[in-house]
Amino acid sequence: MGLLAVGTPLAWPDAKKNANHVREWGIEQLLAIWRRAKGKERDALLWGDEVEYLVVVFDENRRKVKLSLRQADILKALASDEELCKHGGCVPDLQNVARQSDTLPIFHPEFGRFMLEATPGKPWGIGFKDLLDVEPNMRLRRVIAKDHMESNEYPITLTTFPRLGTSDEFTSPYHPPSGERLRSQFLPDEIANPHIRFPTLAANIRSRRGRKVEVNVPVFRDENTMWPFKDPTVDYDLHQWPEDDDVRNGAAKENHIYMDAMAFGMGSCCLQITFQSKNITEGRRLYDQLSPLGPIMLALTAATPIYKSFLADTDVRWNQISRAVDDRTAEELGEKPLKNDRWRIPKSRYASNSTYISQDPRLRKEYMDPDLVVDQDLKQRLEDGGMDDRLATHFAHLFIRDPIVIFAEDLKELDLNKTDHFENLQSTNWQHMRFKPPPHDKDTGWRVEFRPMEIQITDFENAAFSIFIVLITRAILSFDLNFYIPIPRTTENMETAHGRNAVLDQKFYFRKNPFPSRPVKATNGTSGSTTPAQASRPPSPFGPIENEYELMSIDEIINGQISKSEEGFPGLVPLVESYLNSVNVDVETRCELARYLALIQKRANGTLWTGAKWIRHFVREHPEYKKDSVVSEGVCYDLVKAVEDITQGECKNGGEGIEMFKARIPRNSNGDWPG
């Protein structure tokens, strides 16, 4: 998350008055970046991962587990550790020490006061040694974090806390629900990071929207689930805030789990990968080609089957976060005719991509989103400043949104050597891909952020998915691969990925033939540490786009359509293996990489379960579970304890936690339940 700005935030009425001001200054800062960095070149592809943790605290005597709200204390403990400081420290936001070592990870605050974010101490290179260092580094982060917590606190990598928002005391220390900022029936304001940006973000999203956010997740119907299901945690008689009328006006949907605050979304953990490209052309290309992979990786990493103590009929977090930060008004949602707002906006500001940005001649106009909303005035200003149509369209689309958090001090003068106004809009468009221009004050290139993946229980899994995406980028660039499909099909795929057990039970639109029309010579004899030289571009395609893609299972997308003719899709893992065959990789390294690729393959074909399936199975097989969709305090305790036991025992099973095995028995060696 990086350093958080400090200032005097404007409440929404004042922020709204200054929205155009910030947008216009943001465009000028973007043009300054464009002029300064459009010719920037880098020799090697660098990348980094971001792992997010929930911090939980166990009460073993009472068999209870809660969220620890000691984020600030843990970060201070890390920052004040003299031994860590000798090696450059781990919390640059709180320290003024020189980074003397690149081996120590870096820790950052996150939205939830119960969360931590950790990244490697320096960007990874594409060299294969770096790939094999990822998993040990992730383990190191977990160990360092744990060493600076209380003895009964643990950093775990679950997407969400199963009982976030219940009526019991699910936080430590306890705070009663509601508060001026969130105005939630279920959560206290104290659940969010106290930095002024976060409560202001939550309050201004609610104010702009004109009501609280509305998050409804289909409940899983088990044998004894009351049906129709009416969320029993909702208080229809609450009259503390004007927004309490929301539930009386139908905000809580039948047969759904209802949530009403930003923290239900932004309190989720994920795994994100950022790539630095050698230049803007390569970055734009990776942005486009990785975009269709987003829904596939979302389904493969599914790990979120519980919300607010109920089993959900979905497996992933994405739409829940989307709704939790959806600031669209009734007019923008299409619920009322346009009167005060400019556009009907089809998607939340947290959504799947709506643009392609490469100048690849294979990018056809038929692939574009026909419902794309663009601020034409801002687009014209970007084009007048020298930006090409496609990239100007992308940013003019992002800038249809209002800036949500504006600091009064930032409105005094425009500084073209800063990016604050640009980042105000850029950083609050949470799409599943993000194209990131170079910052003004660092030797950093054009970057692409891959955002859809769910956090996994073990460091082995998180390393495997990180490494897989890195190797996919190398295959894309080496073989000039083409994964283009129409943007609306990717949008549909994102919805499909939410289904229970979508990884096995659903099919996704995917391009049938990823190869260029003329052969591309692979980079034989290289180490893979530099970007391959490109062959001449293939001609622009023609013919009906519907012939270019079809519905495929994730097994077919990952492992290939082996039962079809030679024209069937080859599979992403076989493409990666072909890339590895084309470069110099020693046998030992190749064997290590094969372990990670095997996880991806087995997850895709069902040999290994997703985290969501394992969690659901754990709950439904627990002796205290009443087959009513309710995850009780006791079941939650045993579940989170089992997750912690898995991460503690990860090193004892060849680097693969016990959840990697097909049996996935959630009991100990004596056949007893944990705890």
Side-chain angles (χ1 to χ4, degrees), residues 49 51-53 134-135 138 142 157 270-271 273 453-468 596 599 650:
D49 67 86
V51 173
E52 294 171 344
Y53 305 92
V134 173
E135 184 184 354
M138 288 181 174
R142 198 186 294 262
T157 42
C270 67
L271 171 67
I273 312 296
M453 293 190 292
E454 309 245 294
I455 197 71
Q456 304 294 283
I457 290 174
T458 68
D459 297 319
F460 173 76
E461 292 168 284
N462 288 314
F465 282 104
S466 301
I467 291 166
F468 177 60
Y596 299 121
L599 167 63
E650 203 178 344

Side-chain angles (χ1 to χ4, degrees), residues 374-402:
V374 173
D375 188 319
Q376 293 295 340
D377 292 337
L378 296 183
K379 179 183 175 182
Q380 187 62 56
R381 176 69 190 99
L382 290 169
E383 290 182 333
D384 291 344
M387 190 175 290
D388 61 90
D389 174 84
R390 202 159 283 164
L391 198 57
T393 297
H394 168 75
F395 286 115
H397 166 65
L398 299 185
F399 273 57
I400 66 171
R401 310 290 178 174
D402 280 338

Side-chain angles (χ1 to χ4, degrees), residues 338-586:
L338 286 174
K339 181 180 178 181
N340 299 310
D341 295 306
R342 296 182 290 173
W343 301 291
R344 156 89 166 84
I345 302 178
K347 295 180 180 179
S348 166
R349 62 198 303 153
Y350 195 114
S352 58
N353 284 19
S354 294
T355 57
Y356 286 130
I357 63 175
S358 176
Q359 293 178 302
D360 189 330
R362 299 172 297 183
L363 174 53
R364 304 174 61 178
K365 65 180 187 335
E366 294 92 340
Y367 300 153
M368 301 303 194
D369 187 347
D371 299 320
L372 187 70
V373 181
V374 173
D375 188 319
Q376 293 295 340
D377 292 337
L378 296 183
K379 179 183 175 182
Q380 187 62 56
R381 176 69 190 99
L382 290 169
E383 290 182 333
D384 291 344
M387 190 175 290
D388 61 90
D389 174 84
R390 202 159 283 164
L391 198 57
T393 297
H394 168 75
F395 286 115
H397 166 65
L398 299 185
F399 273 57
I400 66 171
R401 310 290 178 174
D402 280 338
I404 298 298
V405 180
I406 301 175
F407 293 106
E409 292 81 359
D410 293 337
L411 298 173
K412 294 178 180 179
E413 61 179 339
L414 172 61
D415 188 345
L416 294 180
N417 289 317
K418 296 175 66 176
T419 59
D420 51 343
H421 299 294
F422 168 71
E423 287 295 341
N424 195 326
L425 274 300
Q426 162 92 343
S427 66
T428 54
N429 273 275
W430 298 281
Q431 298 185 345
H432 83 273
M433 298 291 302
R434 181 178 282 159
F435 186 61
K436 304 174 73 171
H440 73 285
D441 59 347
K442 295 180 181 178
D443 185 23
T444 303
W446 295 88
R447 292 152 296 150
V448 174
E449 191 173 71
F450 189 76
R451 301 171 45 80
M453 293 190 292
E454 309 245 294
I455 197 71
Q456 304 294 283
I457 290 174
T458 68
D459 297 319
F460 173 76
E461 292 168 284
N462 288 314
F465 282 104
S466 301
I467 291 166
F468 177 60
I469 290 296
V470 172
L471 292 175
I472 283 288
T473 66
R474 306 318 292 164
I476 288 170
L477 297 175
S478 292
F479 301 138
D480 201 19
L481 298 178
N482 176 10
F483 294 132
Y484 278 126
I485 61 173
I487 285 172
R489 300 291 84 79
T490 297
T491 302
E492 290 180 51
N493 283 347
M494 287 294 282
E495 293 300 315
T496 301
H498 284 73
R500 179 160 45 93
N501 206 33
V503 67
L504 298 182
D505 296 344
Q506 300 295 329
K507 291 196 173 184
F508 297 77
Y509 292 106
F510 211 75
R511 190 176 186 88
K512 292 187 285 187
N513 180 12
F515 297 112
S517 57
R518 59 173 63 112
V520 175
K521 186 177 181 180
T523 54
N524 285 304
T526 71
S527 66
S529 62
T530 58
T531 299
Q534 293 302 311
S536 60
R537 303 299 304 160
S540 297
F542 58 93
I545 59 169
E546 292 78 12
N547 295 342
E548 297 176 1
Y549 60 89
E550 66 182 15
L551 286 168
M552 301 183 198
S553 68
I554 286 188
D555 187 19
E556 291 175 319
I557 294 169
I558 295 297
N559 295 315
Q561 295 176 310
I562 54 177
S563 62
K564 299 189 85 173
S565 67
E566 293 182 1
E567 296 181 358
F569 184 72
L572 295 177
V573 168
L575 286 170
V576 165
E577 290 175 333
S578 294
Y579 163 70
L580 293 173
N581 289 338
S582 73
V583 295
N584 292 328
V585 187
D586 63 83

Side-chain angles (χ1 to χ4, degrees), residues 96-263:
N96 187 23
V97 295
R99 292 279 295 174
Q100 299 174 357
S101 170
D102 54 32
T103 60
L104 288 180
I106 295 174
F107 293 89
H108 302 281
E110 256 296 341
F111 176 88
R113 205 178 292 194
F114 50 87
M115 301 170 72
L116 290 175
E117 177 190 291
T119 61
K122 69 171 185 177
W124 299 113
I126 193 58
F128 297 112
K129 179 183 182 301
D130 278 14
L131 294 181
L132 299 185
D133 286 341
V134 173
E135 184 184 354
N137 188 273
M138 288 181 174
R139 289 182 182 165
L140 176 64
R141 295 176 223 175
R142 198 186 294 262
V143 168
I144 291 175
K146 170 56 188 160
D147 286 347
H148 295 81
M149 296 178 182
E150 301 290 347
S151 60
N152 59 344
E153 288 178 326
Y154 294 88
I156 63 169
T157 42
L158 282 178
T159 314
T160 59
F161 184 68
R163 291 184 63 83
L164 177 68
T166 56
S167 58
D168 55 279
E169 297 183 7
F170 60 87
T171 64
S172 176
Y174 171 73
H175 298 276
S178 198
E180 170 65 27
R181 299 293 186 169
L182 297 181
R183 301 191 180 183
S184 171
Q185 282 201 18
F186 314 108
L187 301 177
D189 280 0
E190 290 83 359
I191 202 130
N193 187 313
H195 187 282
I196 193 62
R197 179 179 187 270
F198 297 107
T200 303
L201 186 63
N204 284 1
I205 284 176
R206 173 179 49 75
S207 297
R208 187 188 189 282
R209 178 180 168 86
R211 52 189 165 174
K212 289 191 289 189
V213 296
E214 184 179 306
V215 184
N216 283 284
V217 184
V219 71
F220 171 72
R221 185 178 184 179
D222 213 337
E223 295 176 21
N224 299 325
T225 304
M226 62 174 179
W227 209 260
F229 178 86
K230 190 173 183 179
D231 190 333
T233 66
V234 177
D235 185 351
Y236 289 89
D237 297 319
L238 192 64
H239 294 274
Q240 186 171 2
W241 305 104
E243 293 88 350
D244 291 332
D245 286 339
D246 289 356
V247 293
R248 291 182 282 276
N249 293 328
K253 308 300 183 187
E254 190 175 84
N255 300 331
H256 286 72
I257 307 158
Y258 171 69
M259 293 164 281
D260 66 350
M262 180 178 174

Side-chain angles (χ1 to χ4, degrees), residues 55-127:
V55 181
V56 297
V57 55
F58 289 106
D59 183 341
E60 296 192 1
N61 293 329
R62 300 170 62 202
R63 282 188 67 240
K64 292 181 181 293
V65 61
K66 302 177 183 180
L67 288 170
S68 171
L69 303 186
R70 292 195 333 105
Q71 176 195 88
D73 295 328
I74 295 167
L75 290 173
K76 287 178 183 176
L78 286 162
S80 60
D81 185 313
E82 293 183 1
E83 192 62 32
L84 293 179
C85 287
K86 290 178 183 178
H87 295 88
C90 285
V91 194
D93 294 351
L94 300 180
Q95 294 172 311
N96 187 23
V97 295
R99 292 279 295 174
Q100 299 174 357
S101 170
D102 54 32
T103 60
L104 288 180
I106 295 174
F107 293 89
H108 302 281
E110 256 296 341
F111 176 88
R113 205 178 292 194
F114 50 87
M115 301 170 72
L116 290 175
E117 177 190 291
T119 61
K122 69 171 185 177
W124 299 113
I126 193 58

